[in-house]
């Protein structure tokens, strides 16, 4: 333990948790529901979670280790949001708990609150929740999704269609494309082409633990629109 911690909190019991240490360690409820110190954002955001966890168990993700029982409700957005700020939600998979998503929609719609979702599961998009998303005011006017496994292509296509039918521009839908290792390059390129074919915006996410010189070069191209917009997918992934 750093000496500075011992100096500042000589009588405290300090517990270190999180995915980098022990994903099973949880915050006490009263701590989890405390509003975080947001002074570093100059009062722009109110940051928190309405839900925690995700029912999916993706091999590259630690959320299911941190929340082994799936998704759970944390608190109402009214206890997170501060008047005059953007509501920035860090929920792992908000659409996996439809009632919680409807709660957020109603609260934001009735109070004219600008919102920012860090991630939305495109596989769970329906005509109903697509319309609700369209009726919300998003910070930058676009939404973040991911397309991590080729087997999800049908549900990804269906989700995008629901969103564009609801009035979203396809280029306002940004998709993270996960690249696990060099063996996964052809698969990632396929998913990249699906997203580009549908007019959406891809952003390459390379597994840091497996980065090779080749993957570093691919990441530099795939993370910079100014570069990949002028390249064929074969040039991005070469």
């Amino acid at each position: 333990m750093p000496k500075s911690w011992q100096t500042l909190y000589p009588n405290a019991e300090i517990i270190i948790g999180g995915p980098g240490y022990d994903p099973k360690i949880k915050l006490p409820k009263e701590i989890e529901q405390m509003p975080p110190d947001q002074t570093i954002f100059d009062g722009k955001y109110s940051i928190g979670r309405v839900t925690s966890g995700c029912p999916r168990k993706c091999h590259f993700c630690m959320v299911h280790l941190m929340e082994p029982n799936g998704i759970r409700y944390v608190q109402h957005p009214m206890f997170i949001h501060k008047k005059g700020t953007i509501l920035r939600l860090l929920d792992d998979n908000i659409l996996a708990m439809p009632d919680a998503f409807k709660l957020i929609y109603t609260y934001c719609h009735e109070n004219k609150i600008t919102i920012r979702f860090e991630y939305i599961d495109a596989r769970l998009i329906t005509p109903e929740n697509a319309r609700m998303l369209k009726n919300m005011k998003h910070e930058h006017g676009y939404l973040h999704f991911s397309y991590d496994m080729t087997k999800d292509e049908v549900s990804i296509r269906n989700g995008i269609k629901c969103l564009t039918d609801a009035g979203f521009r396809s280029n306002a839908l940004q998709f993270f494309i996960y690249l696990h290792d060099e063996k996964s390059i052809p698969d990632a390129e396929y998913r990249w082409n699906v997203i580009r074919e549908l007019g959406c915006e891809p952003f390459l996410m390379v597994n840091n633990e497996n980065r090779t010189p080749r993957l570093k070069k691919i990441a530099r191209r795939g993370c910079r629109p100014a570069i990949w917009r002028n390249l064929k997918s074969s040039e991005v992934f070469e």
Side-chain angles (χ1 to χ4, degrees):
M1 182 186 300
K3 289 184 178 180
S4 58
W5 291 14
Q6 295 174 336
T7 302
L8 292 171
Y9 309 101
N11 301 314
E13 177 188 2
I14 298 176
I15 300 172
I16 301 176
Y21 294 90
D22 185 346
K24 296 180 182 179
I25 293 178
K26 297 185 181 301
L27 292 172
K29 185 176 181 179
E30 62 272 19
I31 302 299
E32 182 180 50
Q33 294 181 342
M34 286 179 63
D37 178 5
Q38 303 183 87
T39 56
I40 59 173
F41 295 107
D42 298 323
K44 181 178 181 180
Y45 296 111
S46 291
I47 302 176
R49 293 172 179 261
V50 174
T51 65
S52 181
C54 174
R56 304 188 187 278
K57 296 182 179 181
C58 301
H59 69 90
F60 50 82
C61 181
M62 295 193 72
V63 169
H64 67 281
L65 299 178
M66 300 174 73
E67 295 286 354
N69 295 321
I71 189 169
R72 63 184 174 87
Y73 180 76
V74 176
Q75 61 184 329
H76 193 289
M78 67 183 292
F79 297 117
I80 303 170
H81 184 251
K82 182 179 179 181
K83 186 176 181 180
T85 64
I86 296 168
L87 180 59
R88 186 170 179 176
L89 295 180
L90 308 179
D91 296 56
D92 302 299
N93 194 339
I94 185 59
L95 295 186
M97 189 174 279
D99 289 345
F101 175 71
K102 290 179 182 178
L103 188 69
I104 294 167
Y105 167 74
T106 301
Y107 178 74
C108 291
H109 191 65
E110 291 180 350
N111 295 282
K112 297 180 173 58
I113 294 169
T114 300
I115 193 166
R116 174 172 173 175
F117 292 104
E118 293 302 301
Y119 164 77
I120 296 175
D121 191 339
R123 297 163 292 185
L124 297 179
I125 294 291
T126 65
E128 180 186 10
N129 59 35
R131 287 191 294 270
M132 287 192 283
L133 283 167
K134 181 59 181 175
N135 285 331
M136 300 171 82
K137 184 179 179 182
H138 302 278
E139 181 186 8
H140 300 297
Y142 55 75
L143 300 176
H144 290 125
F145 308 88
S146 67
Y147 181 13
D148 300 316
M149 292 174 278
T150 303
K151 67 181 181 64
D152 294 324
E153 180 178 351
V154 172
S155 56
I156 293 291
R157 287 180 178 272
N158 288 339
I160 291 173
K161 185 177 187 305
C162 288
L163 290 162
T164 53
D165 286 348
F168 280 98
R169 294 176 291 104
S170 58
N171 63 1
L173 310 177
Q174 300 189 341
F175 281 80
F176 298 119
I177 305 294
Y178 177 65
L179 177 54
H180 187 70
D181 52 28
E182 287 198 21
K183 294 180 181 178
S184 306
I185 291 174
D187 183 78
E189 183 177 356
Y190 178 85
R191 285 178 277 124
W192 175 281
N193 283 325
V194 168
I195 294 305
R196 291 297 292 144
E197 171 202 333
L198 296 172
C200 303
E201 299 285 294
F203 185 92
L204 203 60
M205 298 286 286
V206 177
N207 187 331
N208 279 326
E209 294 182 358
N210 298 327
R211 286 205 177 203
T212 61
R214 182 184 180 189
L215 289 181
K216 288 180 181 178
K217 290 181 180 179
I218 292 174
R220 281 196 292 271
R221 301 186 196 106
C223 294
R224 293 173 171 80
I227 295 177
W228 63 251
R229 288 188 196 285
N230 298 312
L231 302 174
K232 298 178 181 178
S233 67
S234 58
E235 296 172 315
V236 174
F237 290 88
E238 67 181 4

